[in-house]
Amino acid sequence: MQRSPEDVVAPPALDDEGELRRAEANGFQLFLGNLGAEVDEAFLAGVFSRFASYVPGSARVRREPDGTTRCYGYVTFSERRDAAAAVAELDGRLVGTGRVRLSCCRLRGAEARRLPAAQLRERCEVRRRLIQERVRRLEEEKRRVALSS
């Protein structure tokens, strides 16, 4: 059963009101991992430009000093709905020669350091519980598949 973009649940990366406000002001950035060596900014723009709120010129592929790709990059959307739809539709699919991994970027560096230590601990605990829940669901799915075989 294929999901429509309206059925897609927003990714859990933006988990507090302040972080959500900053993302809405600056756009919703996706991390793209496992890109093939042939993927460049123009290729990514072609893949993601079909989403309405894709920010033109935001596609970036990280490179080594000698110009070879580091096999990861970023794209930005102005609306959370399209970022979530891109993750739901393209995560694990072939983009170039690699099965791309997509995830929402979290604030790092100076923005993250401004949070109080108690709030950072709370966020870590919430994310740990989310990961445990995902692992539990994957194990249940494996059991269901094994039983149906």
Side-chain angles (χ1 to χ4, degrees):
M1 182 172 141
Q2 193 168 7
R3 295 186 287 181
S4 69
E6 292 79 28
D7 296 335
V8 174
V9 177
L14 302 172
D15 57 5
D16 79 342
E17 207 172 296
E19 199 169 314
L20 182 59
R21 277 195 304 273
R22 284 188 293 276
E24 286 172 342
N26 301 318
F28 295 89
Q29 192 173 56
L30 294 183
F31 169 81
L32 315 168
N34 199 33
L35 296 174
E38 76 287 352
V39 174
D40 61 2
E41 287 79 4
F43 187 92
L44 290 179
V47 171
F48 289 96
S49 62
R50 62 191 164 117
F51 295 97
S53 69
Y54 165 75
V55 177
S58 69
R60 295 185 319 248
V61 175
R62 293 295 185 200
R63 300 189 180 282
E64 297 288 347
D66 65 359
T68 59
T69 181
R70 290 185 175 179
C71 298
Y72 72 93
Y74 302 91
V75 294
T76 304
F77 295 88
S78 60
E79 293 182 20
R80 183 181 196 154
R81 172 182 41 87
D82 286 336
V87 170
E89 186 176 324
L90 296 172
D91 188 39
R93 301 271 178 126
L94 282 175
V95 174
T97 58
R99 291 203 180 275
V100 70
R101 293 181 343 260
L102 277 76
S103 61
C104 286
C105 294
R106 293 185 177 94
L107 294 174
R108 304 250 186 246
E111 287 291 332
R113 283 190 290 274
R114 290 183 193 156
L115 298 174
Q119 189 175 2
L120 286 173
R121 281 192 300 276
E122 181 182 348
R123 282 185 180 199
C124 289
E125 181 62 26
V126 167
R127 289 184 178 132
R128 184 186 63 77
R129 283 188 300 227
L130 285 172
I131 291 169
Q132 287 175 338
E133 178 63 23
R134 287 179 187 161
V135 168
R136 186 188 62 75
R137 278 188 270 155
L138 285 171
E139 289 172 354
E140 286 177 6
E141 182 67 26
K142 285 179 185 178
R143 277 189 232 121
R144 273 190 245 128
V145 169
L147 291 175
S148 66
S149 299

